[in-house]
Amino acid sequence: MSNTFDLLQPYLDKDMALGTALTLINWDMETLAPSGGMEYTAKAVGILAVESFHTLINEDVNNILTKLETEEEQAQLDEIQKAIVKKLRKDYNDLKVIPADEYKAYSELQATATNVWAEAKQNNDYNKFAPVLKRLIDFQRKFIKYRQKDESNLYDILLDDYEPGFTVEMLDRFFNQLKETIVPLVQKVSMNKEKVDNSFISKHYDIEKQKEFCNWISEYVGFDLKRGVIAESAHPFTTNLHNHDVRITNHFLENNLESAIFSVIHETGHALYEMQIDDKLTQTVLGSGTSMGAHESQSRFYENNIGKSIDFWIPIYKRLQETFSEQLQDVSLEDFIRGINKSSTSLIRTEADELTYCLHIIIRYEIEKMIFNNEIEVEDLPKVWNQKYEEYLGITPTSDTVGVLQDIHWACGNYGYFASYAVGSAVAAQIHSHIKKVMPFEQYLREGKLEPIREFLKENVHKYGKLKSTNEILKDMMGEELDAKYFTDYLVEKYTKLYELN
Ligand code: ZN
């Protein structure tokens, strides 16, 4: 045992406690808090956030870390302690190089930017948002220059924040492979779009009944209500205090059967990841999903690879049909499956289906890369955005509201984030291909046995928290790092069959 590590513990504990408080307040603000109180509560959040920042980023912690990095101290640390020291050092170095006054100015800008963005989006007024976006980007450019250690691509530094270890070089290859397969496949599907009818989805569905079914299906998939709750919010999300208190939200639309069902399955996938992290790691800086992409891989695996398959619905479709007997009595299981898998090009990323989704991501990735390579001016973003939509999806946004202004990410200062969504889909496909080889996966789904699948994910992905990177997880599981071919093969097989393209 290391006595020096004991000196670190009070700082870690305080960071954990403040993090727990902030998570709880944020959860409350998204779900139950009255809108009139936000401004006042935000003040408390601001103070706690600053306190939380300084808990681990200070000279005392730096000195303890320096000591813990010596050879003799390292020899006394266990695997988890070593990983904690490594993670803290990385965070410390990333944040320490940014001058405090610039960070403060940036945080203040960030706090107002989302309001400016929301207004600009509502009024289709890109020019109103452009100056704020330009300032946010300038700050980010400065910050990554401070963080830059060698001649690496500046955009690499941003990608690494969300997908540790991933670089422009890797992602260029990855996205090119996706583009080569998906663009022509989308064109073929578009020419055959009348082959799939999903009109039953937009019938009228009673919201109380939807809620009841969604809560049931979340538990069916594995959500443990003794360690979790389900609430409602404008946009579904997952959060957690630790692995014994994981919270998800859902939203309900009267004229849309699939939105709530697949949102809740998606969030349950995120929740299972957090619930199944090892007890030894929870409430430490390693105690959550290893990356954005790894997290999305779990939600998408449940939502798409499992939730949109016929095997999953065989034991439970009857229950859905009985819940909505009037709307679904003439919809056979096969028609239901075809309907929920229908693909059509659309302008909005969050409404995109499994096939077209990655094209939305590729567009954002390419534009972000241009921004941080200084190849584009902020004023020209709408033009380039629209050109790329025309090129990859064959549709042109009718306004900036449904074009360049649609996502909140850039207003929050999150650059390098989008790529993770596509990485998630690809990791999910890779796990899917592997899991079918090591267990009778489809048979388990047909028998309603989801536990062995959960257990597999726990043992191979979830329990490690941040102890392993996304690629380490894949390599240890199946001997290979991320490879786009699993995802492209999956899409080609699925949509060729669905649209009878041969
Ligand atoms: Zn998600």
Side-chain angles (χ1 to χ4, degrees), residues 153 155-156 159 166-180 361-362 364-370 373 375 392 419 423 482 484:
N153 194 317
Y155 190 42
D156 281 346
L159 292 171
F166 280 60
T167 60
V168 170
E169 199 195 334
M170 287 160 70
L171 286 172
D172 275 355
R173 216 178 322 124
F174 172 75
F175 281 125
N176 280 335
Q177 234 176 310
L178 294 190
K179 224 158 52 171
E180 273 167 31
I361 298 306
I362 291 170
R364 287 151 177 80
Y365 171 77
E366 291 182 349
I367 291 177
E368 285 187 352
K369 217 169 57 167
M370 290 168 84
N373 287 338
E375 291 165 3
Y392 297 153
V423 169
L482 178 71

Side-chain angles (χ1 to χ4, degrees), residues 215-490:
N215 290 349
W216 173 81
I217 205 167
S218 176
E219 261 198 286
Y220 176 80
V221 169
F223 192 72
D224 178 358
L225 283 169
K226 288 193 293 301
R227 297 197 288 146
V229 289
I230 308 176
E232 277 178 60
S233 65
H235 302 284
F237 68 97
T238 301
T239 189
N240 64 305
L241 307 186
H242 38 70
N243 66 348
H244 288 262
D245 186 339
V246 181
R247 301 164 181 227
I248 62 176
T249 66
N250 198 4
H251 69 163
F252 299 92
L253 305 169
E254 234 165 34
N255 295 311
N256 190 325
L257 174 66
E258 63 180 357
S259 181
I261 292 178
F262 292 101
S263 289
V264 85
I265 298 177
H266 180 99
E267 299 309 329
T268 302
H270 281 305
L272 290 174
Y273 195 163
E274 294 298 335
M275 281 175 168
Q276 301 207 100
I277 280 173
D278 201 295
D279 275 344
K280 287 206 282 291
L281 295 175
T282 199
Q283 296 190 307
T284 77
V285 291
L286 309 171
S288 57
T290 192
S291 73
M292 275 296 308
H295 235 300
E296 278 302 304
S297 79
Q298 299 308 291
S299 54
R300 279 155 201 257
F301 183 64
Y302 275 99
E303 177 190 355
N304 295 325
N305 303 77
I306 290 181
K308 300 238 166 113
S309 73
I310 192 160
D311 299 308
F312 173 74
W313 283 97
I314 283 174
I316 61 174
Y317 182 58
K318 208 164 173 299
R319 187 179 182 114
L320 182 68
Q321 233 177 356
E322 278 163 8
T323 306
F324 299 109
S325 52
E326 196 186 308
Q327 297 89 330
L328 296 177
Q329 60 182 348
D330 297 328
V331 181
S332 69
L333 172 62
E334 287 71 22
D335 289 343
F336 173 76
I337 294 300
R338 290 167 64 79
I340 59 172
N341 282 296
K342 185 178 172 77
S343 169
S344 45
T345 50
S346 64
L347 292 170
I348 308 292
R349 176 185 60 86
T350 54
E351 291 165 13
D353 55 70
E354 211 182 340
L355 174 61
T356 56
Y357 190 87
C358 282
L359 296 179
H360 294 262
I361 298 306
I362 291 170
I363 290 167
R364 287 151 177 80
Y365 171 77
E366 291 182 349
I367 291 177
E368 285 187 352
K369 217 169 57 167
M370 290 168 84
I371 292 174
F372 289 97
N373 287 338
N374 289 317
E375 291 165 3
I376 189 172
E377 296 298 327
V378 166
E379 298 76 54
D380 297 328
L381 289 181
K383 195 176 77 194
V384 174
W385 181 283
N386 292 354
Q387 282 166 353
K388 285 190 182 288
Y389 265 79
E390 184 57 49
E391 186 185 344
Y392 297 153
L393 285 144
I395 43 176
T396 308
T398 44
S399 71
D400 291 333
T401 300
V402 293
V404 70
L405 286 172
Q406 66 180 271
D407 297 308
I408 195 172
H409 302 59
W410 291 347
C412 298
N414 296 337
Y415 310 98
Y417 188 123
F418 284 116
S420 294
Y421 292 115
V423 169
S425 297
V427 171
Q430 201 157 334
I431 293 174
H432 189 190
S433 131
H434 179 68
I435 204 170
K436 285 192 285 188
K437 290 184 195 137
V438 296
M439 66 169 71
F441 179 70
E442 280 125 351
Q443 186 192 325
Y444 282 156
L445 292 178
R446 285 195 295 274
E447 290 169 357
K449 268 201 221 159
L450 279 88
E451 213 221 310
I453 298 166
R454 267 199 314 276
E455 207 43 43
F456 175 89
L457 294 172
K458 178 183 172 185
E459 288 305 313
N460 289 277
V461 183
H462 301 165
K463 72 174 185 186
Y464 295 105
K466 289 187 194 295
L467 273 182
K468 286 187 187 180
S469 71
T470 309
N471 266 332
E472 281 166 350
I473 286 171
L474 288 172
K475 197 141 195 232
D476 290 349
M477 181 195 307
M478 58 191 289
E480 268 182 83
E481 296 192 343
L482 178 71
D483 187 338
K485 96 170 184 281
Y486 292 98
F487 186 44
T488 52
D489 285 354
Y490 162 80

Side-chain angles (χ1 to χ4, degrees), residues 109-164:
L109 175 65
Q110 232 182 351
T112 54
T114 48
N115 285 332
V116 178
W117 163 78
E119 223 180 289
K121 181 180 174 180
Q122 196 179 6
N123 301 324
N124 187 31
D125 186 0
Y126 179 74
N127 290 335
K128 174 122 201 232
F129 179 52
V132 177
L133 180 58
K134 196 169 171 333
R135 284 182 63 206
L136 284 166
I137 290 169
D138 287 343
F139 268 119
Q140 278 294 352
R141 278 211 189 102
K142 260 204 258 179
F143 293 170
I144 49 182
K145 284 219 179 88
Y146 293 141
R147 292 168 60 191
Q148 190 178 28
K149 288 184 204 80
D150 44 39
E151 286 311 298
S152 62
N153 194 317
L154 284 178
Y155 190 42
D156 281 346
I157 298 167
L158 292 170
L159 292 171
D160 189 74
D161 284 343
Y162 302 97
E163 267 337 285

